[in-house]
C-alpha cells in the first residue's frame, strides 16, 4: 500500500516547555565561573567552547535553581565541594511534581489540534526516560485530560531519544489493525534535572545542550475534516553494529549518569544511509526530513550524507537552537515546527522521512507525507485538478 493510501496519520500535534528559560551564554558563563572557582580551569575552557559550538541558544528547565548564580546553584561544581548536591530521590520528586502538568499541556494542545474529544482516545502511550514514579504518568493523565478509565495504557520508559518516534510507529500499528482505534502519544522529558556538578568532559557535554519539554500527538485514521496531517508509512528499526557502548544512561546516586560518545555522528553516517535506502525501497529521495537533533554533529552528518539543503534541515536546527535536545519529546517538536512552516507556505503534498536515534545505538525511522487536505491525498500526492480553495483550506 502506498503512503498516499495510508490508514494512519498524525492528526494533531502539541508542545509545551517549563517556565524557566536558560540562556546559553548566561548558563555557560555561570558554569565556567563555578568550574574556575572549584579549580578546574581546563574544564572551564573546554565547557565554554562546547557550549558555544553545540548549536543551542536557549533551553528550558523545570528547576529554577539552575538559573541562580554559580555560587548557589546546587547542580554546578562548588569551590569547597561541600554543597548539597540534589539526590536522585530529590530530583525524582521534582520530576513527579513537574512532569504531569507539562505533559497534560502538550496533550491538550494535540487533542485540540486534531479536533479529538478525550473520550475518543482508545490508547494512551506515555514516553519518558528522565524520571519514574507509580502510579505513573499514564494513570495521572487520565484524570488530567478526561480520558476514559478503560483507555489502554502503554508506558514506554527509559528508551532514550528514539522513544518518541517508536511510540508513533507503535500507534500506527494500533490504528491500522484495530477498527476505531485512536492513539494519544505523550512524551515528557526533564533532562536538566540530571545535570551533574562535575568537571568531567562527558558530564559537561551533556549539560551543554539537553533541555526540558513535553510533546504529544494524536494518531488515527485521517477523515474528511482533517487538515495538515502527516501520513504514516513504512517503518524501520535497527540496532547499529558495534555501538552498545556509545550511548549510556544509568541511574546514579545524584540523578542519571549520561555518556555520549563523540563517535555517534560517525556511526550514524556509516550505517544509517543504507538503512534509509532499505526503508525507501526504490522510492526517490523525499523532500521532507524530520531529523531528531540529538546534537549538532548528527544533523551536520545527515545533511552532508544525503546532500540536503539548509531548508530541509531547518526544522531540526530551529528546535535545537531554541529548545536543545529534549530526548524523546524532540522529534514531535521537529514535526510541529515543520507543520507550522508548511502551513505558512501553503505547501501541497510532500513526501518525507522521520529519523531518531537512541541508546543501542538504535535508529528509528518511518516514511511520512504531509497532506494539507484529503483532496491532495486522494490525488496521489498531486494537486492537479484540485481547486485552490480545497487544496489549501
Amino acid at each position: 500500500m502506498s503512503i498516499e493510501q495510508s490508514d494512519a496519520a498524525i492528526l494533531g500535534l502539541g508542545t509545551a516547555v517549563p517556565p524557566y528559560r536558560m540562556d546559553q551564554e548566561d548558563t555557560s558563563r555561570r558554569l565556567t565561573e563555578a568550574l574556575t572557582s572549584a579549580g578546574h580551569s581546563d574544564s572551564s575552557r573546554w565547557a565554554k567552547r562546547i557550549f558555544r559550538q553545540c548549536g543551542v541558544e536557549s533551553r528550558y528547565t523545570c528547576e529554577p535553581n539552575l538559573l541562580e548564580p554559580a555560587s548557589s546553584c546546587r547542580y554546578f561544581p562548588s569551590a569547597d565541594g561541600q554543597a548539597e548536591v540534589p539526590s536522585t530521590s530529590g530530583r525524582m520528586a521534582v520530576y513527579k511534581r513537574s512532569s504531569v502538568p507539562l505533559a497534560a499541556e502538550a496533550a491538550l494542545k494535540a487533542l485540540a489540534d486534531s479536533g479529538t474529544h478525550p473520550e475518543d482516545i482508545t490508547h494512551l502511550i506515555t514516553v519518558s526516560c528522565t524520571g519514574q514514579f507509580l502510579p505513573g504518568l499514564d494513570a495521572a493523565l487520565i484524570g488530567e485530560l478526561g480520558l476514559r478509565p478503560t483507555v489502554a495504557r502503554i508506558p514506554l520508559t527509559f528508551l532514550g531519544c528514539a522513544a518518541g518516534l517508536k511510540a508513533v510507529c507503535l500507534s500506527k500499528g494500533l490504528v491500522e489493525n484495530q477498527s476505531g482505534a485512536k492513539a494519544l502519544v505523550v512524551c515528557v522529558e526533564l533532562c536538566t534535572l540530571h545535570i551533574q556538578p562535575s568537571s568531567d568532559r562527558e558530564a559537561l557535554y551533556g549539560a551543554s545542550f539537553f533541555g526540558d519539554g513535553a510533546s504529544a500527538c494524536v494518531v488515527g485514521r485521517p477523515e474528511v475534516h482533517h487538515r495538515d496531517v502527516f501520513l504514516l508509512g513504512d517503518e524501520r528499526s535497527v540496532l547499529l553494529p558495534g555501538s552498545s557502548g556509545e550511548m549510556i544512561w544509568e541511574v546514579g546516586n545524584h540523578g542519571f549518569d549520561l555518556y555520549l560518545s563523540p563517535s555517534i555522528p560517525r556511526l550514524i553516517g556509516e550505517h544509517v544511509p543504507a538503512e534509509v535506502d532499505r526503508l525507501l525501497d526504490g522510492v526517490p529521495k523525499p523532500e521532507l526530513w524530520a531529523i531528531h537533533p540529538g546534537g549538532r554533529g548528527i544533523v551536520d552528518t545527515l545533511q552532508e550524507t544525503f546532500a540536503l539543503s539548509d531548508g530541509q534541515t531547518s526544522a531540526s536546527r530551529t528546535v535545537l537552537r531554541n529548545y536543545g535536545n529534549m530526548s524523546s519529546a524532540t522529534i514531535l517538536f521537529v514535526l510541529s515546527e515543520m507543520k507550522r512552516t508548511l502551513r505558512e507556505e501553503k505547501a501541497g503534498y510532500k513526501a518525507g522521512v522521520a529519523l531518531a536515534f537512541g541508546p543501542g545505538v538504535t535508529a528509528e525511522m518511518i516514511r511520512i507525507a504531509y497532506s494539507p487536505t484529503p483532496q491532495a491525498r486522494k490525488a496521489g500526492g498531486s494537486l492537479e485538478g484540485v481547486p485552490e480553495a480545497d487544496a489549501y483550506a
Side-chain angles (χ1 to χ4, degrees):
M1 181 179 67
S2 67
I3 194 169
E4 293 83 6
Q5 300 169 315
S6 174
D7 288 331
I10 295 177
L11 306 178
L13 289 154
T15 63
V17 292
Y20 306 108
R21 181 180 180 273
M22 298 173 64
D23 176 79
Q24 188 75 340
E25 289 188 9
D26 175 68
T27 305
S28 174
R29 177 189 58 76
R30 290 183 295 110
L31 177 57
T32 54
E33 177 186 327
L35 288 165
T36 300
S37 298
H40 304 295
S41 297
D42 289 344
S43 295
S44 175
R45 288 189 290 271
W46 189 87
K48 186 180 296 184
R49 183 168 66 253
I50 196 64
F51 266 69
R52 186 174 60 249
Q53 296 175 350
C54 69
V56 176
E57 294 181 3
S58 64
R59 294 172 283 164
Y60 291 82
T61 179
C62 65
E63 174 55 275
N65 181 245
L66 279 166
L67 274 64
E68 293 187 11
S71 60
S72 57
C73 180
R74 300 166 63 212
Y75 294 79
F76 288 176
S78 62
D80 58 9
Q82 300 300 314
E84 183 185 355
V85 179
S87 65
T88 299
S89 62
R91 297 175 196 236
M92 291 301 93
V94 178
Y95 175 90
K96 183 177 181 180
R97 182 172 67 247
S98 302
S99 60
V100 175
L102 194 64
E105 180 182 348
L108 288 170
K109 290 178 180 178
L111 290 167
D113 188 45
S114 65
T116 302
H117 193 278
E119 291 188 354
D120 292 334
I121 295 297
T122 59
H123 295 78
L124 171 63
I125 304 178
T126 51
V127 185
S128 188
C129 71
T130 50
Q132 295 182 7
F133 62 90
L134 288 175
L137 180 66
D138 54 329
L141 286 177
I142 288 180
E144 292 286 333
L145 303 176
L147 304 178
R148 291 183 297 171
T150 55
V151 66
R153 292 178 283 141
I154 308 172
L156 299 183
T157 61
F158 227 59
L159 295 182
C161 296
L165 197 56
K166 169 59 75 177
V168 170
C169 294
L170 178 59
S171 298
K172 169 182 170 285
L174 293 170
V175 168
E176 288 177 335
N177 292 294
Q178 297 186 32
S179 177
K182 191 167 287 187
L184 173 63
V185 174
V186 186
C187 309
V188 59
E189 303 288 10
L190 306 183
C191 304
T192 64
L193 289 180
H194 302 289
I195 291 177
Q196 301 293 317
S198 170
S199 61
D200 292 341
R201 291 193 174 191
E202 291 84 0
L204 294 172
Y205 181 58
S208 71
F209 65 92
F210 277 101
D212 298 354
S215 61
C217 69
V218 174
V219 177
R221 292 176 182 263
E223 300 176 10
V224 174
H225 63 280
H226 288 124
R227 299 289 188 273
D228 304 305
V229 304
F230 283 106
L231 305 176
L232 300 173
D234 296 334
E235 62 194 80
R236 188 170 183 83
S237 178
V238 61
L239 197 62
L240 303 187
S243 64
S244 61
E246 303 301 313
M247 193 182 299
I248 300 171
W249 190 237
E250 295 179 336
V251 179
N253 292 329
H254 300 99
F256 299 166
D257 297 321
L258 174 68
Y259 169 71
L260 295 174
S261 167
S263 300
I264 292 172
R266 176 184 58 79
L267 283 167
I268 288 173
E270 288 177 357
H271 298 290
V272 168
E275 300 300 333
V276 171
D277 287 344
R278 294 184 180 97
L279 173 72
L280 296 178
D281 193 24
V283 175
K285 186 176 77 172
E287 187 171 351
L288 301 180
W289 289 76
I291 300 169
H292 165 67
R296 180 178 177 180
I298 291 176
V299 182
D300 288 345
T301 296
L302 292 176
Q303 179 167 359
E304 180 180 356
T305 300
F306 290 105
L308 305 179
S309 68
D310 289 344
Q312 287 174 300
T313 60
S314 64
S316 297
R317 294 191 190 277
T318 295
V319 169
L320 181 64
R321 181 174 64 251
N322 295 337
Y323 304 100
N325 179 355
M326 298 164 286
S327 191
S328 69
T330 317
I331 191 64
L332 296 182
F333 272 79
V334 173
L335 287 169
S336 183
E337 172 65 19
M338 186 175 286
K339 178 177 176 177
R340 182 192 65 79
T341 301
L342 291 166
R343 182 182 285 165
E344 287 182 355
E345 294 174 350
K346 295 186 176 181
Y349 179 98
K350 293 181 184 291
V353 61
L355 305 98
F357 311 97
V361 171
T362 301
E364 297 287 345
M365 55 195 76
I366 186 170
R367 288 182 60 199
I368 62 173
Y370 172 73
S371 180
T373 65
Q375 289 84 355
R377 184 168 68 255
K378 289 178 181 178
S382 171
L383 291 179
E384 292 183 10
V386 179
E388 185 173 350
D390 289 334
Y392 302 119

